[in-house]
Amino acid sequence: MVKIAFFEVNPREETYIRKKLKNHDLYFFSDEIQSEDLTEIHDVEIISVFIYSSVDKEVLKKLPKLRAIMTRSTGFDHISVLACKSLGIQVSNVPFYGENTVAEHTFALILNLSRKVHKSYQRTIGDNYSIEGLQGFDLKGKTLGIIGVGHIGLHVIRIAKGFGMHVKAYDLNKDIFMSEVLHFNYCYSINELLRESDIITLHMPFNKQTYHFLDKEHLEMTKKGVIIINTARGGLLDTDALYNLLEKGHIGGVGLDVIEGEDIIKEEEELLSDRIPHERIHEIFRDKRLFKMENVIFTPHNAFNSKEAVQRILDTSIDNILSMINNGKVINPVN
Ligand code: NAD
């Protein structure tokens, strides 16, 4: 019997996991992991977390028997992977659950902005049926720049082709086979993509190398009126620079599912706490100003959240745990 703790799970997920792992000693928490609060599970061998659980050195210190961490997400930037490696703790993710799911959400954001759906909705619920100021633009014939052409990026390209869009792709690793299958070309440089795209969407991982990948200099290089979409991770975009260029009217619209500061923005009571450093307060107020702009649409890190994708996440996480228990190895290692 292995002791396993699950964080950030809802009752439906708990019932499903209990059924699949019934011979083990299971602990469930609806909140994210906190280093101050681990006494009950100090001897846990496996933990399963979602993206709001920051698994850092402090947490690892409190769990001396930990052998594996499974994140029920593709991104694993919330886990100190290097520290885990040095302690012999295996880390795994769910690499494939939602390429179509996140790509479809990417287009939900694009279409909201191109056809002003969010503005139209706000108007009609206020009993105003005028179409004044609601003119949109066609996607057909426009150029979509895709930064990071992995599982999600490739699916975004498939959908873009269905809309009759031109595609400009940028990735450190070129998949020539897929570029022939899906009929798209890689750019020679990121600058080419930035200068020539009408809409730019980010699908690369967040890490030290990609922090503020779209910084002030890159954003200033874009076409006037460009639309920026980010469903990957908030830290890929310099949000201050984005905000300033939106205010100046250089950027025409922004669709975000992720944003710097999203980890604390949900916790209203946290905003009043004096534990929050000054720069984080700046982030929170800037984000709130950004969300109120009429050419900005924000969804609260919800791109993964389709019924089918969540089921795939649970099943892959359970397979990972069973593989760790039965063979001593996770199926989808990231370290
Ligand atoms: P992936 O690993 O399949 O693809 C990422 C691509 O980015 C790879 O092709 C890689 O070569 C490329 N890349 C890495 N570093 C780069 C760099 N410096 N410059 C250019 N290209 C670079 O990942 P994926 O499944 O397509 O997911 C992409 C990201 O989407 C994840 O890392 C995750 O953070 C995010 N995501 C968000 C949600 C959500 O709910 N909003 C859900 C799933 C994934």
Side-chain angles (χ1 to χ4, degrees):
M1 187 186 270
V2 177
K3 187 162 178 172
I4 311 167
F6 294 82
F7 292 86
E8 302 174 78
V9 279
N10 64 37
R12 197 197 72 81
E13 291 165 336
E14 178 177 336
T15 309
Y16 188 76
I17 295 166
R18 280 195 188 282
K19 224 189 281 171
K20 295 279 174 180
L21 297 172
K22 51 177 171 262
N23 298 326
H24 297 284
D25 188 12
L26 308 178
Y27 293 76
F28 292 90
F29 303 92
S30 56
D31 288 337
E32 53 268 35
I33 203 164
Q34 301 283 354
S35 61
E36 308 89 56
D37 213 9
L38 296 172
T39 326
E40 189 189 1
I41 58 148
H42 70 280
D43 54 349
V44 76
E45 289 174 68
I46 298 175
I47 58 171
S48 167
V49 297
F50 190 52
I51 53 170
Y52 296 108
S53 285
S54 170
V55 187
D56 54 18
K57 284 184 184 156
E58 285 311 303
V59 167
L60 296 175
K61 240 191 261 169
K62 301 273 174 70
L63 303 175
K65 297 212 167 147
L66 195 62
R67 292 194 286 144
I69 302 168
M70 277 91 190
T71 181
R72 301 187 305 282
S73 59
T74 303
F76 46 87
D77 45 283
H78 50 292
I79 299 173
S80 300
V81 175
L82 278 180
C84 289
K85 194 168 186 178
S86 68
L87 292 166
I89 298 168
Q90 297 188 55
V91 181
S92 69
N93 71 342
V94 185
F96 306 121
Y97 72 90
E99 52 263 50
N100 69 297
T101 310
V102 178
E104 286 171 26
H105 195 87
T106 301
F107 267 85
L109 294 174
I110 293 175
L111 286 162
N112 255 288
L113 291 160
S114 68
R115 304 313 300 259
K116 303 196 172 157
V117 178
H118 60 307
K119 272 173 85 175
S120 307
Y121 172 71
Q122 278 169 348
R123 200 175 279 191
T124 53
I125 57 169
D127 275 340
N128 177 350
Y129 304 102
S130 156
I131 62 166
E132 185 65 35
L134 293 183
Q135 190 170 67
F137 65 85
D138 288 350
L139 294 186
K140 185 175 177 201
K142 297 294 184 302
T143 299
L144 180 65
I146 297 160
I147 306 178
V149 189
H151 294 96
I152 297 169
L154 280 172
H155 208 83
V156 169
I157 294 175
R158 279 190 194 98
I159 301 177
K161 290 284 173 178
F163 276 100
M165 300 184 83
H166 305 295
V167 166
K168 293 234 166 242
Y170 176 79
D171 198 300
L172 290 180
N173 309 302
K174 296 186 176 44
D175 187 337
I176 300 304
F177 175 72
M178 284 313 290
S179 77
E180 282 169 13
V181 172
L182 295 177
H183 304 287
F184 71 89
N185 292 319
Y186 285 98
C187 292
Y188 290 109
S189 70
I190 185 65
N191 296 1
E192 178 190 339
L193 180 147
L194 296 171
R195 289 201 183 101
E196 294 179 23
S197 301
D198 301 295
I199 301 172
I200 295 173
T201 181
L202 285 158
H203 300 288
M204 66 191 351
F206 177 57
N207 50 43
K208 274 192 193 132
Q209 286 73 41
T210 59
Y211 172 77
H212 283 187
F213 183 86
L214 286 189
D215 58 7
K216 181 169 178 285
E217 196 186 332
H218 274 159
L219 289 170
E220 280 176 347
M221 229 179 259
T222 56
K223 266 190 189 178
K224 184 165 166 42
V226 68
I227 285 184
I228 307 281
I229 305 290
N230 189 6
T231 58
R233 284 292 181 272
L236 296 170
L237 254 179
D238 178 342
T239 319
D240 282 333
L242 182 84
Y243 180 77
N244 292 335
L245 288 166
L246 260 165
E247 271 211 311
K248 282 185 190 155
H250 175 82
I251 292 176
V254 175
L256 304 174
D257 186 53
V258 288
I259 193 165
E260 292 177 292
E262 71 180 65
D263 50 336
I264 45 174
I265 208 158
K266 301 195 299 178
E267 312 286 343
E268 283 294 334
E269 73 275 15
E270 285 270 323
L271 298 184
L272 304 170
S273 142
D274 50 12
R275 286 188 296 124
I276 299 196
H278 184 258
E279 61 275 18
R280 304 236 62 199
I281 302 274
H282 161 78
E283 274 184 354
I284 294 160
F285 285 103
R286 177 209 52 213
D287 292 354
K288 295 210 166 193
R289 283 200 306 276
L290 197 66
F291 300 158
K292 289 200 177 106
M293 294 171 107
E294 62 169 27
N295 46 355
V296 174
I297 176 155
F298 175 67
T299 53
H301 207 137
N302 197 37
F304 74 96
N305 193 14
S306 74
K307 192 174 151 193
E308 295 81 0
V310 168
Q311 189 58 48
R312 287 193 289 268
I313 292 172
L314 270 185
D315 287 336
T316 308
S317 304
I318 290 165
D319 287 349
N320 258 336
I321 290 172
L322 287 173
S323 167
M324 182 69 202
I325 293 171
N326 297 331
N327 313 318
K329 270 192 176 161
V330 294
I331 306 170
N332 300 300
V334 302
N335 64 344

